Amino acid sequence: MALIVQKYGGTSVANTERIRNVASRVARYHAQGDQLVVVVSAMSGVTDNLIRLAKEIMPLPDEREMDVLLATGEQTTIALTAIALHKLGVPAVSLTGAQAGIVTDGVHTKAKIQNITPKKIHDLLKQGNVVTVAGFQGQTIDGQVTTLGRGGSDLTAIALAAALKADLCQIYTDVDGVYTADPRIVPQAKKLDEISYDEMLELASLGAKVMQSRSVEFAKKFKVIFEVRSSLNDNPGTIVKEETRNMEAVVVRGVSLDKNQAKITLVAVPDRPGIAARIFKAIGEANINVDMIVQNISHGTADDVGATDISFTVDKPELAKARAVIDGLRQEIGFGKVIATETIGKLSIVGVGMKSHAGVAGKLFDVLAREGINIGMISTSEIKVSVVVDLAKAEEAMKAVHAAFLV
Ligand code: ADP
Ligand code: ASP
Ligand code: MG
């Protein structure tokens, strides 16, 4: 008998037929005597639709209200999944994030889990129930509904697996596992049998939305080994775990593309100490995550203070908020034009093997040059190289890079 946390994403619960499929799978495990905690997402498209409705009324809706709104998506699926289990004769009880004991901080729309008190879940399991839990949501200590950032049901599942000391954590989705690239963009992509936390974390934060990046960070911290697999078949999936020595033999594990980034350039920013600090402190205080930052060398001006251009990238949905923060600094700092563009793609190659192999970045630039693709920004770390390219050419670039490194 094992305690298993299973998570089913939006496409796996997209309609009542899919929900019945989920219930059948859960019922099979239950019949073997396993204890099951089933985390579900909103039905696919529901969260996006709720966001669209709110934005129809106001472009920057209040974030507390957004959380109250978005949490309804998952609340629908926990109940429908429990009902589908009842239909199969399996005792099941649904719990919202708050009822499941998930306590978060108060940063609306991207709250962090502070602690989990899974007493209610334990009690229900002990009585023989399957427990369905709403992914993506929690509650502050003073009872405010919060959500954990897009894709946050993955985090709910991993955090519950850690808190419950589950024997198994399975992330069910609409692909057979983690691939060398998004199989929707690169049909030649291959499924990986295993991948290290660090590689998964980089791929996820760089656009491979198969796992929410914060959930992988959490899994690494609490050593939760998990499997990403399909809810549509019984094929073995991809195991995500601590790096093992033989993993370094592979230089590039995967390629990812983030089409959800926007670039802001501040032209002619005074080149004095403290200016970058002022800009990025204000952006940070607005809870906007900045990813790449590039500052050009100073171009001299007539007076003694030079000027420089600063470009940085943020998530597309935060562009309006970031622009508002920048506009608020104009008086104080005095820069020139602000150029914002949403037509960029960030292409990255990731692999722990890069630590011990030289020349990877050079090969990447070479592949792009041969394809006639211009590089806008570059950033590297020990296990990844990222470049910003024109969005219109990004998928073509990804295919070429995948073919060069992974086929
Ligand atoms: P869920 O709704 O189950 O959470 P998501 O849509 O969030 O599923 O994530 C699954 C999708 O992630 C897949 O359909 C696939 O297109 C995409 N994806 C992106 N990169 C990868 C990758 N490297 N491996 C597998 N899937 C990927
Ligand atoms: N429903 C949420 C979203 O679409 C959470 C999730 O699916 O994991 O982002
Ligand atoms: Mg997801």
Side-chain angles (χ1 to χ4, degrees):
M1 189 188 87
L3 198 168
I4 306 175
V5 174
Q6 297 185 337
K7 177 258 171 175
Y8 293 91
T11 33
S12 305
V13 292
N15 50 47
T16 50
E17 195 196 326
R18 294 267 174 94
I19 291 176
R20 280 194 239 213
N21 281 344
V22 166
S24 307
R25 186 184 296 268
V26 172
R28 264 193 278 140
Y29 280 92
H30 187 259
Q32 290 171 28
D34 295 323
Q35 293 188 315
L36 281 123
V37 175
V38 179
V39 175
V40 286
S41 292
M43 295 160 89
S44 78
V46 166
T47 308
D48 284 339
N49 197 38
L50 291 169
I51 293 173
R52 194 181 52 75
L53 289 176
K55 291 199 166 169
E56 243 172 59
I57 301 174
M58 198 174 168
L60 276 180
D62 180 78
E63 292 183 332
R64 177 193 180 278
E65 301 311 326
M66 284 311 284
D67 277 352
V68 173
L69 178 67
L70 297 192
T72 61
E74 271 68 13
Q75 194 163 337
T76 307
T77 16
I78 46 170
L80 289 175
T81 309
I83 291 166
L85 284 161
H86 297 166
K87 168 85 176 159
L88 299 176
V90 178
V93 178
S94 65
L95 298 177
T96 63
Q99 289 172 326
I102 299 173
V103 177
T104 72
D105 65 18
V107 182
H108 285 293
T109 77
K110 46 184 153 184
K112 289 209 163 68
I113 294 179
Q114 287 184 325
N115 60 70
I116 299 184
T117 315
K119 180 172 179 328
K120 183 99 197 151
I121 297 181
H122 275 306
D123 290 348
L124 289 167
L125 289 175
K126 229 177 276 164
Q127 293 156 17
N129 296 292
V130 169
V131 184
T132 64
V133 178
F136 175 56
Q137 56 175 264
Q139 198 179 53
T140 63
I141 198 87
D142 53 2
Q144 302 294 322
V145 176
T146 51
T147 63
L148 309 175
R150 295 306 306 268
S153 300
D154 295 331
L155 178 57
T156 305
I158 304 253
L160 280 176
L164 294 162
K165 300 191 172 54
D167 301 296
L168 211 56
C169 179
Q170 301 172 320
I171 307 289
Y172 286 92
T173 182
D174 57 1
V175 281
D176 279 2
V178 180
Y179 281 68
T180 49
D182 186 342
R184 284 178 211 269
I185 303 177
V186 184
Q188 291 78 16
K190 292 190 286 276
K191 193 195 80 187
L192 299 163
D193 293 332
E194 57 177 29
I195 184 169
S196 70
Y197 290 130
D198 287 335
E199 289 168 325
M200 188 69 248
L201 184 54
E202 288 286 8
L203 285 176
S205 19
L206 296 167
K209 74 163 189 164
V210 62
M211 286 300 297
Q212 187 213 32
S213 60
R214 279 172 55 192
S215 72
V216 184
E217 233 172 294
F218 198 103
K220 179 179 155 119
K221 187 161 167 198
F222 293 95
K223 297 188 168 25
V224 178
I225 296 171
F226 62 95
E227 182 186 11
V228 180
R229 54 185 300 183
S230 172
S231 66
L232 307 169
N233 59 47
D234 288 321
N235 299 342
T238 304
I239 306 288
V240 187
K241 58 176 196 183
E242 202 60 69
E243 182 180 330
T244 52
R245 189 150 352 122
N246 63 359
M247 285 183 180
E248 273 205 37
V250 176
V251 183
V252 175
R253 182 85 49 202
V255 180
S256 63
L257 175 61
D258 188 351
K259 296 196 255 182
N260 196 33
Q261 296 266 305
K263 182 167 89 171
I264 300 179
T265 302
L266 309 191
V267 179
V269 182
D271 195 8
R272 324 185 220 103
I275 296 291
R278 184 69 195 95
I279 294 170
F280 292 105
K281 185 156 175 271
I283 294 277
E285 276 165 2
N287 273 310
I288 299 167
N289 293 321
V290 169
D291 179 38
M292 290 168 135
I293 301 176
V294 172
Q295 178 175 327
N296 289 342
I297 52 163
S298 229
H299 33 86
T301 55
D303 45 37
D304 54 355
V305 177
T308 181
D309 300 342
I310 298 181
S311 296
F312 60 96
T313 61
V314 296
D315 286 347
K316 241 175 226 176
E318 302 205 303
L319 179 61
K321 209 165 122 190
R323 276 212 74 146
V325 172
I326 295 298
D327 288 340
L329 293 172
R330 180 182 287 282
Q331 278 276 314
E332 182 188 332
I333 299 179
F335 38 78
K337 268 193 307 189
V338 178
I339 306 165
T341 165
E342 292 193 310
T343 53
I344 60 164
K346 186 169 63 171
L347 177 65
S348 309
I349 52 175
V350 171
V352 289
M354 284 186 208
K355 287 190 240 179
S356 48
H357 291 78
V360 183
K363 180 171 169 187
L364 171 67
F365 303 155
D366 197 41
V367 174
L368 294 172
R370 269 191 279 123
E371 297 291 317
I373 291 162
N374 195 48
I375 300 172
M377 295 167 105
I378 300 169
S379 77
T380 63
S381 79
E382 219 184 5
I383 66 163
K384 70 121 203 274
V385 183
S386 300
V387 291
V388 167
V389 297
D390 182 6
L391 186 59
K393 293 198 167 166
E395 293 198 355
E396 185 195 321
M398 186 185 201
K399 286 183 193 144
V401 169
H402 186 273
F405 283 97
L406 285 151
V407 176

